[in-house]
Amino acid sequence: MTNEQQMNHSHFLERLLDGAEVGWKSLGEITKKISSGKNKDKSEIGNYPVYGSTGIIGKTNNKVYDEEQILVARVGANAGRVNIAQGEYDVSDNTLIIQPIENTNLKFLYYYLVNINLNRFTKGAGQPLLTSGQLKKFQIPIPPPKVQGEIVRILDNFTELTAELTAELTAELTARQKQYSYYRDRLLTFGEDEVEWKPFGEIAVIGTGKHDTKDAVEDGDYIFYARGREPLKLNVFDFEETSIITAGDGVGVGKVFHYAQGKYALHQRAYRIVPNEGVDARFIYHFIVANFYNYIKKASVSSSVTSLRRSMFLKFPMPIPSLEKQKEIVAILDKFDTLTNSISEGLLKEIELRQKQYEYYRDLLLNFPKPEIEV
């Protein structure tokens, strides 16, 4: 937080508090109890929802609770995630239940617990865990009830506005993605007699790398393409070229593609596709992104494609329009690709900024100076 932001933050809280003092109490002092849910029998059918680490995770015919309560994920990757349960429901055994005392503003407590990010206090590397004993020790600011109510009112309005804006942006993004897919399919659909068709093995060199994921280093000098969407790093490189990279096995088969330029390292179960002369690499990239997964699904002997063999690439039919036509198609699709998928431009960035703006103002309202007490 910059000095200017700190000053604005201080003045904002001063105006909100209007001279009133903020006390601090442990979470254990302001709750009736903190207990664990018991449900282990959730299903897809039932009269009542079952709340778990990510919200509603199933249904049950057994109603256990009918009051508003705060829920905190107890174990696993979502440990520390905070929700509010309402209506008639049951709670999963991987979730802690917080029942505030009657004069505690439940929504204020909910917003405060969300804001401090309980996940960072979990223990255990393999299976993160947050216990009721830990929660009871957390120090909670207690401004006057009127101030708590005003903070809740502001955050409720801000939450609703942010959700509406995000929904609008998401709808716009979905529309752009559909538009992009439509024009991509039209541009990349060719009749048998319109262009020359060649098997992939005749127009590109196809091979794998030699590294394993465990070889990756955090601050390596070169990009290391493995099998996931996020590239890793290595201090050595295997190739210096322009190529298309795709996963050879795992969940990314036929779905994860990278466009590599320059020096890079490659996983032993990832494939590099290097076009021969006369074929534009970006044209190949766009065509296989649009068509390769459907092709390998038909070519695979099983219903789910979990690995690729080099022979699958060699037989893949590839249209070869003139190089001029290839570049024309690439220019159009690259513009659509940037507008639709770029994480640093367009709507995805706008959605991210809206969320960060919301989190900034939430922190502004809830970041009271706290006592130095170790949790």
Side-chain angles (χ1 to χ4, degrees), residues 11-28:
H11 290 166
F12 185 83
L13 281 181
E14 284 178 9
R15 291 196 300 272
L16 193 62
L17 290 168
D18 193 26
E21 294 196 10
V22 178
W24 288 80
K25 291 185 178 181
S26 70
L27 188 57

Side-chain angles (χ1 to χ4, degrees), residues 78-244:
N78 290 304
R81 182 167 177 168
V82 186
N83 289 299
I84 290 182
Q86 298 172 310
E88 299 174 324
Y89 57 92
D90 199 0
V91 178
S92 168
D93 62 345
N94 66 3
T95 305
L96 294 168
I97 305 166
I98 298 176
Q99 297 175 303
I101 57 178
E102 291 181 3
N103 61 350
T104 300
N105 189 313
L106 180 141
K107 204 67 177 292
F108 173 81
L109 179 58
Y110 160 78
Y111 279 127
Y112 185 78
L113 293 175
V114 169
N115 196 58
I116 62 176
N117 183 18
L118 292 173
N119 181 262
R120 64 195 174 102
F121 298 105
T122 58
K123 298 179 180 180
Q127 186 77 318
L129 179 68
L130 191 66
T131 67
S132 60
Q134 283 177 275
L135 284 180
K136 288 176 182 178
K137 295 177 184 178
F138 278 99
Q139 296 295 304
I140 308 297
I142 313 293
K146 184 178 179 181
V147 175
Q148 292 183 42
E150 180 62 11
I151 289 173
V152 167
R153 185 192 68 79
I154 294 171
L155 288 178
D156 278 350
N157 289 337
F158 214 118
T159 301
E160 183 178 353
L161 178 60
T162 301
E164 289 176 358
L165 290 171
T166 301
E168 289 176 9
L169 291 169
T170 302
E172 175 65 20
L173 179 59
T174 301
R176 284 194 186 182
Q177 287 170 334
K178 288 181 178 179
Q179 185 184 40
Y180 172 52
S181 296
Y182 171 77
Y183 282 107
R184 183 184 66 189
D185 290 345
R186 285 198 62 178
L187 287 166
L188 296 175
T189 298
F190 304 94
E192 289 293 329
D193 300 327
E194 276 186 80
V195 295
E196 183 180 8
W197 290 78
K198 291 185 177 182
F200 220 21
E202 291 185 16
I203 65 163
V205 173
I206 301 163
T208 59
K210 61 182 181 181
H211 298 286
D212 192 62
T213 307
K214 65 182 180 182
D215 300 335
V217 294
E218 188 173 345
D219 298 315
D221 295 327
Y222 302 102
I223 292 176
F224 171 27
Y225 293 106
R227 293 168 294 176
R229 294 190 181 279
E230 294 299 323
L232 305 173
K233 290 283 189 176
L234 267 182
N235 281 326
V236 295
F237 69 93
D238 304 318
F239 307 101
E240 184 174 4
E241 60 194 7
T242 296
S243 64
I244 298 100

Side-chain angles (χ1 to χ4, degrees), residues 39-50 56-61:
N39 185 285
K40 296 182 180 180
D41 304 316
K42 63 184 182 297
S43 67
E44 294 182 1
I45 57 173
N47 296 319
Y48 307 103
V50 176
I56 296 175
I57 59 172
K59 294 184 178 181
T60 181
N61 284 321

